[in-house]
C-alpha cells in the first residue's frame, strides 16, 4: 500500500496575533524604557525621592499607553472591517451595473497569468456565474483584500494592550529594587536591551529574517530611544520652551502675536515620514511617526501638570489626522502629501507651548493659522491670498497674546500648504504687515546678523544695524540671513525688524530698517561645492538676446539660481551650486545652442564693502578662474 501522506509546508499561523504582540511588546519595552531614562535625566541632582517619582510616572505611562495602544488597535481593526465592507458594497454595485468592465478585469487577470484565451474565457464564465463568488474574486485579486475576522478589533485591542503592559513592566521593574535613579537606569538598560534583543531575535526568526540581525536592530532602536530621551530632548526642547516663556514674559503687557516653528529636528523627521509614505512603505511611515508622537508627548509630560490632559487631547487630534492619511494610499503629487504631513510639526509645537504658557500664568490664545492665512495650491511654496487673509485678520480684535504657527497656511479647500524657505519668518512678516505692527522680532540661535559665518570665521563680528536693501543684497549673494520675501512686506510698511539671540535675550541683536547705514564692515560669504559651466556659441557667432533669453528660461524651468554669470562676445560662464541632477539637466538642455564644458570642485567667495587688503589676503595662493568686481562687491571663483 502506497504512503499517501500530503506534503506539509510549515507556514506561520495566527499572523494577526503575532502582529498585535509585536506592536504592543515592542512599544511597551521601548517607550517606558525611554520615558524612565528621560525622567532620570530630568530629576538627576534634584532633592526628591527620584525612584518613587519614576515608578509613578512609569505606571501612569504604562496605564495610559496600554489604553491608547489598545484603542489604536481597536480603531485599526474597526477601520479595516469598515473599509472591507464599503469595498464589498462598491464591488456589488460594479458587477451589477458595470458587468462588462468587471468581466474584462477578470479576463485580464487570467491573461496576466499567461493562460490561453480559451481558458481565460472558460475561467471567467465560471466565476461570473455566481455573483457572490465574483465579488469575492474581485475583492481578493483586484483589491488584495481578504474578509477580516469580525472580532478582530476587540481581539486586537486586548492583545496589544496586554502586550504593552507586559513589555512596559520589564524596564520599570528595576526601579522598585534600587535606591537611586541612576542605579535603576543601569539595571533597566541591561535587562531591557537583553529583552529587546531576545524579542527581536525570535520575531525575526518567525518572520523568516536573519534573527541575529533582527535582534541587534531592535536592541539598537531601544538604546537610541533611551539615549535621546535621557539627553537631547531634556536639555534642548524643554529648556528652549522655558526660555520662550521668559522672553514672552518681558513683553506680556503688550498685544502680541507669537509665530512658532517646529521643535528641533521635527521637520526633518516629518519629511522622512512623507517620503516613506509616498514610496508605499506604510508601516515604515507609521513607525517613524510613532517616534515623533512619543517625542512630543514626552516633552508635554516633562513640562505640564495642570494643562497636561488638555494638551494631550489636542495633540491626539493632530496625531489622528496624520495617521488617517498614512493609512491611505498616495494618489496625488508628492508635494501635496509633503505639506499635509510636514505642516503638523508647527501644530504640535504651538500646542505644547501654548499650554505651557498658560500653565506658568501667561494667558494666551492658540490659533490655527490655517483658518487665517489663505494660500493658493502651489504645495511646498504656496502664494498668499492677501485679500482673503487681510479680511480674516480684520475679523479679529487682537487685544491679547496669541500663539500661532509659522511656515504653514491652507487653501480654500482647507488643504494644508507650506510657504517654502524661511516660512516662519515670512509668516511673522505677513502678520506684521496686515496688523500694521509696531515691530517684528525674530529670535535665532546667533547673537544677531554677523558679517560672516562664525563657524567659518571665528572672528566674525555682529552688525548692529542694517538697511532692508543691504539684507536683500546679502541674501542674494548667499548669506544665511533673512530671506528677501520676509523683508518685502516689512519694507512696504516701513516696519522695523529685530534679529535677537534666543539663548541670551539681553544681547542687543541687529536692527533692520529702511534707513541706509554707512560704514559697514566687510561682509563675507563663502560657498563651497560650486560648478562653473562654460557655454560657447557653436558657430562662433555673438551671444545675443535670443541665446541669453533661452538660458534664463532654462534656469526658470529647472528652478536653478545662478550664483554668478559672466557674458562675453561668444561665450557665457555660469557659476551654480553643485546639484548633480540639475547641473546635468542644464548641460544637456543648453547643448542645443552652446558647446558645454563643466568645471567642478570650486569655491565662490563674495565680499561686500571689501578692501583691497582683505581681498588680497583671502585670495592669496588661490587659482582664480573667474572674478567680478564692482564698487561695493567682489566675487571670486577659485
Amino acid at each position: 500500500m502506497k504512503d499517501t501522506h500530503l506534503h506539509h509546508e510549515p507556514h506561520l499561523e495566527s499572523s494577526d496575533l503575532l502582529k498585535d504582540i509585536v506592536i504592543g511588546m515592542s512599544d511597551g519595552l521601548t517607550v517606558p524604557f525611554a520615558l524612565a531614562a528621560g525622567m532620570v535625566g530630568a530629576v538627576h541632582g534634584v532633592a526628591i525621592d527620584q525612584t518613587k517619582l519614576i515608578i509613578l510616572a512609569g505606571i501612569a505611562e504604562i496605564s495610559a499607553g496600554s489604553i491608547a495602544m489598545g484603542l489604536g488597535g481597536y480603531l485599526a481593526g474597526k477601520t479595516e472591517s469598515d473599509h472591507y465592507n464599503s469595498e464589498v458594497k462598491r464591488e456589488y454595485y460594479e458587477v451589477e451595473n458595470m458587468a462588462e468592465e468587471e468581466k474584462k478585469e477578470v479576463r485580464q487577470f487570467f491573461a496576466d497569468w499567461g493562460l490561453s484565451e480559451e481558458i481565460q474565457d472558460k475561467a471567467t464564465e465560471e466565476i461570473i456565474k455566481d455573483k457572490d463568488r465574483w465579488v469575492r474574486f474581485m475583492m481578493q485579486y483586484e483589491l488584495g483584500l481578504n474578509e477580516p475576522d469580525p472580532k478582530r478589533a476587540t481581539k486586537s485591542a486586548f492583545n496589544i494592550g496586554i502586550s504593552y503592559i507586559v513589555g512596559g513592566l520589564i524596564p520599570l521593574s528595576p526601579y522598585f529594587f534600587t535606591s537611586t535613579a541612576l542605579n535603576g537606569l543601569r539595571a533597566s538598560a541591561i535587562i531591557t536591551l537583553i529583552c529587546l534583543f531576545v524579542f527581536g531575535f525570535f520575531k525575526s526568526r518567525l518572520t523568516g529574517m536573519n534573527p541575529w540581525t533582527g535582534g541587534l536592530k531592535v536592541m539598537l532602536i531601544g538604546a537610541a530611544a533611551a539615549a535621546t530621551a535621557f539627553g537631547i530632548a531634556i536639555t534642548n526642547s524643554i529648556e528652549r520652551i522655558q526660555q520662550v516663556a521668559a522672553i514672552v514674559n518681558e513683553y506680556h503687557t503688550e498685544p502680541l502675536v507669537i509665530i512658532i516653528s517646529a521643535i528641533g529636528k521635527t521637520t526633518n523627521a516629518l519629511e522622512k515620514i512623507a517620503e516613506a509614505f509616498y514610496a508605499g512603505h506604510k508601516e515604515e511611515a507609521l513607525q517613524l511617526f510613532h517616534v515623533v508622537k512619543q517625542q512630543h508627548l514626552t516633552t508635554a509630560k516633562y513640562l505640564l501638570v495642570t494643562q497636561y490632559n488638555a494638551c494631550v487631547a489636542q495633540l491626539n487630534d493632530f496625531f489622528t489626522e496624520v495617521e488617517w492619511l498614512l493609512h491611505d494610499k498616495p494618489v496625488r503629487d508628492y508635494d501635496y502629501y509633503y505639506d499635509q504631513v510636514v505642516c503638523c510639526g508647527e501644530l504640535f509645537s504651538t500646542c505644547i507651548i501654548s499650554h505651557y504658557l498658560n500653565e506658568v500664568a501667561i494667558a494666551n490664545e492658540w490659533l490655527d493659522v490655517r483658518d487665517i492665512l489663505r494660500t493658493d495650491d502651489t504645495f511646498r511654496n504656496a502664494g498668499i491670498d492677501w485679500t482673503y487673509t487681510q479680511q480674516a485678520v480684520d475679523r479679529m480684535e487682537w487685544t491679547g497674546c496669541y500663539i500661532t504657527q509659522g511656515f504653514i497656511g491652507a487653501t480654500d479647500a482647507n488643504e494644508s500648504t507650506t510657504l517654502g524657505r524661511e516660512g516662519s519668518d515670512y509668516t511673522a512678516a505677513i502678520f506684521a504687515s496686515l496688523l500694521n505692527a509696531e515691530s517684528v522680532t525674530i529670535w535665532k540661535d546667533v547673537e544677531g546678523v554677523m558679517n560672516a559665518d562664525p563657524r567659518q570665521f571665528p572672528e566674525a563680528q555682529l552688525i548692529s544695524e542694517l538697511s532692508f536693501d543691504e539684507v536683500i543684497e546679502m541674501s542674494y549673494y548667499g548669506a544665511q540671513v533673512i530671506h528677501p520675501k520676509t523683508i518685502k512686506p516689512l519694507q512696504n510698511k516701513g516696519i522695523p525688524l529685530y534679529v535677537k539671540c534666543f539663548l541670551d535675550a539681553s544681547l542687543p541683536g541687529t536692527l533692520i530698517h529702511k534707513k541706509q547705514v554707512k560704514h559697514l564692515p566687510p561682509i563675507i560669504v563663502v560657498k563651497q561645492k560650486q560648478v562653473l559651466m562654460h557655454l560657447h556659441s557653436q558657430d562662433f557667432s555673438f551671444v545675443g538676446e535670443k541665446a541669453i533669453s533661452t538660458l534664463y528660461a532654462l534656469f526658470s524651468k529647472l528652478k536653478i539660481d545662478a550664483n554668478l554669470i559672466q557674458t562675453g562676445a561668444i561665450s557665457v560662464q555660469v557659476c551654480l551650486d553643485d546639484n548633480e541632477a540639475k547641473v546635468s539637466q542644464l548641460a544637456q538642455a543648453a547643448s542645443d545652442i552652446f558647446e558645454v564644458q563643466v568645471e567642478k570642485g570650486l569655491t565662490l567667495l563674495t565680499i561686500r564693502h571689501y578692501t583691497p587688503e582683505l581681498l588680497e589676503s583671502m585670495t592669496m595662493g588661490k587659482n582664480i578662474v573667474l572674478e567680478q568686481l564692482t564698487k561695493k562687491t567682489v566675487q571670486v571663483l577659485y
Side-chain angles (χ1 to χ4, degrees):
M1 184 173 179
K2 253 185 192 178
D3 184 359
T4 58
H5 285 98
L6 295 175
H7 169 60
H8 176 70
E9 294 182 6
H11 289 290
L12 182 64
E13 301 290 335
S14 302
S15 61
D16 286 339
L17 174 61
L18 178 61
K19 187 194 299 182
D20 291 343
I21 292 174
V22 167
I23 292 171
M25 185 72 77
S26 59
D27 281 356
L29 281 166
T30 305
V31 177
F33 177 40
L35 171 66
M39 289 290 291
V40 173
V43 302
H44 182 56
V46 180
I48 57 175
D49 188 342
Q50 298 175 358
T51 54
K52 183 177 180 181
L53 179 62
I54 291 167
I55 289 168
L56 289 173
I59 292 173
E61 153 59 40
I62 292 169
S63 301
S66 63
I67 294 170
M69 293 292 291
L71 180 60
Y74 177 86
L75 292 175
K78 188 72 168 56
T79 300
E80 182 182 0
S81 179
D82 291 345
H83 176 59
Y84 182 87
N85 291 334
S86 69
E87 290 296 329
V88 165
K89 289 180 181 178
R90 186 173 65 83
E91 283 299 332
Y92 270 110
Y93 174 85
E94 289 179 355
V95 299
E96 289 171 357
N97 297 278
M98 304 166 60
E100 285 303 314
E101 290 297 320
E102 292 294 287
K103 188 174 178 180
K104 287 179 183 177
E105 291 179 6
V106 175
R107 185 178 289 106
Q108 184 61 46
F109 171 80
F110 292 115
D112 291 342
W113 272 20
L115 301 180
S116 67
E117 290 187 2
E118 181 182 354
I119 294 178
Q120 290 174 33
D121 291 337
K122 287 182 178 179
T124 301
E125 292 302 322
E126 187 64 25
I127 285 173
I128 67 175
K129 285 179 182 178
D130 186 319
K131 187 188 297 183
D132 294 334
R133 181 170 57 199
W134 189 357
V135 169
R136 287 198 304 273
F137 180 92
M138 299 303 288
M139 291 294 293
Q140 184 170 357
Y141 294 105
E142 181 193 25
L143 301 178
L145 296 175
N146 292 311
E147 184 175 2
D149 181 352
K151 297 180 180 179
R152 169 70 181 139
T154 304
K155 290 179 180 178
S156 183
F158 178 82
N159 294 336
I160 292 175
I162 293 298
S163 298
Y164 189 96
I165 292 171
V166 173
L169 288 174
I170 291 172
L172 192 63
S173 58
Y175 294 96
F176 287 90
F177 308 105
T178 53
S179 57
T180 67
L182 282 175
N183 287 336
L185 176 60
R186 293 187 186 101
S188 177
I190 293 170
I191 294 170
T192 305
L193 293 177
I194 291 172
C195 289
L196 283 168
F197 180 84
V198 172
F199 176 78
F201 182 96
F202 283 104
K203 182 187 102 171
S204 300
R205 190 172 180 179
L206 285 170
T207 54
M209 297 172 59
N210 184 310
W212 295 99
T213 302
L216 186 61
K217 183 177 179 181
V218 172
M219 185 180 72
L220 290 176
I221 290 171
T228 300
F230 183 76
I232 298 171
I234 297 168
T235 58
N236 191 358
S237 299
I238 305 300
E239 290 180 359
R240 287 178 177 242
I241 292 172
Q242 291 169 337
Q243 179 66 7
V244 170
I247 291 171
V248 173
N249 205 41
E250 293 292 318
Y251 300 89
H252 199 223
T253 56
E254 310 168 34
L256 293 176
V257 178
I258 303 171
I259 311 295
I260 295 173
S261 57
I263 294 173
K265 299 295 183 181
T266 300
T267 299
N268 294 343
L270 291 170
E271 286 175 342
K272 292 185 182 299
I273 292 166
E275 290 167 6
F277 166 75
Y278 197 73
H281 304 146
K282 182 180 78 171
E283 293 303 323
E284 179 186 349
L286 287 166
Q287 289 171 8
L288 290 171
F289 184 65
H290 182 72
V291 174
V292 173
K293 278 175 55 177
Q294 292 303 322
Q295 288 171 343
H296 286 83
L297 289 171
T298 301
T299 299
K301 285 175 185 175
Y302 291 146
L303 279 171
L304 304 172
V305 179
T306 60
Q307 292 282 321
Y308 176 73
N309 288 336
C311 178
V312 170
Q314 188 177 4
L315 285 173
N316 280 329
D317 288 341
F318 298 142
F319 296 156
T320 301
E321 287 183 28
V322 180
E323 287 168 335
W324 272 104
L325 183 145
L326 296 180
H327 276 97
D328 214 339
K329 290 183 179 180
V331 294
R332 298 179 62 170
D333 291 342
Y334 171 74
D335 287 352
Y336 167 78
Y337 292 107
Y338 177 97
D339 280 5
Q340 308 319 300
V341 173
V342 171
C343 77
C344 294
E346 278 66 21
L347 297 172
F348 301 162
S349 63
T350 52
C351 170
I352 294 172
I353 292 171
S354 174
H355 284 287
Y356 176 69
L357 292 179
N358 280 323
E359 179 141 320
V360 295
I362 300 177
N364 70 91
E365 181 179 346
W366 182 90
L367 299 176
D368 190 334
V369 76
R370 297 173 298 179
D371 296 332
I372 301 170
L373 207 156
R374 173 65 55 80
T375 72
D376 60 23
D377 60 358
T378 307
F379 297 105
R380 297 190 71 181
N381 193 26
I384 306 299
D385 181 340
W386 289 91
T387 301
Y388 178 94
T389 305
Q390 180 71 74
Q391 292 170 351
V393 167
D394 290 344
R395 285 194 290 268
M396 299 183 62
E397 294 187 8
W398 305 99
T399 55
C401 176
Y402 300 90
I403 306 292
T404 196
Q405 306 78 36
F407 182 55
I408 70 175
T411 67
D412 56 7
N414 288 324
E415 295 173 326
S416 298
T417 56
T418 61
L419 306 183
R421 182 183 166 192
E422 304 296 337
S424 291
D425 292 353
Y426 185 34
T427 302
I430 292 167
F431 273 95
S433 175
L434 297 179
L435 289 166
N436 294 310
E438 186 179 290
S439 66
V440 174
T441 303
I442 294 176
W443 298 87
K444 294 187 174 289
D445 289 345
V446 293
E447 189 177 344
V449 179
M450 313 293 285
N451 76 317
D453 187 341
R455 293 169 297 183
Q456 296 176 310
F457 300 94
E459 69 279 7
Q461 63 189 88
L462 174 71
I463 305 176
S464 60
E465 194 176 4
L466 285 167
S467 69
F468 288 131
D469 290 347
E470 184 64 39
V471 170
I472 292 173
E473 291 282 350
M474 291 171 65
S475 180
Y476 172 78
Y477 289 114
Q480 298 299 309
V481 287
I482 310 301
H483 196 272
K485 71 180 182 183
T486 299
I487 295 297
K488 183 171 173 47
L490 304 178
Q491 190 176 31
N492 291 344
K493 293 283 187 77
I495 299 170
L497 169 64
Y498 296 89
V499 180
K500 299 201 67 176
C501 180
F502 180 81
L503 303 175
D504 187 352
S506 66
L507 296 174
T510 301
L511 168 62
I512 303 171
H513 56 154
K514 62 183 180 181
K515 297 178 182 177
Q516 295 301 314
V517 179
K518 298 180 179 179
H519 309 300
L520 289 170
I523 296 169
I524 304 166
V525 181
V526 177
K527 298 190 74 173
Q528 310 280 352
K529 297 181 180 179
Q530 298 294 292
V531 167
L532 183 61
M533 190 171 290
H534 302 268
L535 306 173
H536 195 284
S537 66
Q538 293 177 339
D539 57 359
F540 291 91
S541 60
F542 288 152
V543 177
E545 181 180 344
K546 183 178 179 181
I548 295 297
S549 297
T550 301
L551 186 59
Y552 274 92
L554 289 175
F555 291 160
S556 177
K557 180 181 178 181
L558 300 174
K559 297 181 180 179
I560 289 175
D561 293 320
N563 299 324
L564 177 63
I565 299 178
Q566 187 153 300
T567 306
I570 58 174
S571 65
V572 180
Q573 292 175 300
V574 181
C575 173
L576 56 152
D577 295 338
D578 189 1
N579 180 314
E580 187 172 350
K582 289 189 175 183
V583 169
S584 177
Q585 289 172 341
L586 178 60
Q588 184 174 359
S591 64
D592 292 340
I593 54 174
F594 294 106
E595 292 179 358
V596 181
Q597 289 184 330
V598 177
E599 190 175 352
K600 293 192 173 188
L602 300 174
T603 298
L604 179 63
L605 167 68
T606 303
I607 310 176
R608 293 267 301 162
H609 314 291
Y610 66 93
T611 63
E613 296 78 16
L614 177 62
L615 176 60
E616 183 179 358
S617 68
M618 294 198 69
T619 56
M620 186 177 298
K622 308 292 186 187
N623 180 26
I624 297 174
V625 296
L626 189 63
E627 182 176 8
Q628 278 190 2
L629 186 147
T630 66
K631 186 176 180 181
K632 286 187 176 181
T633 305
V634 60
Q635 288 190 283
V636 179
L637 188 66
Y638 54 84

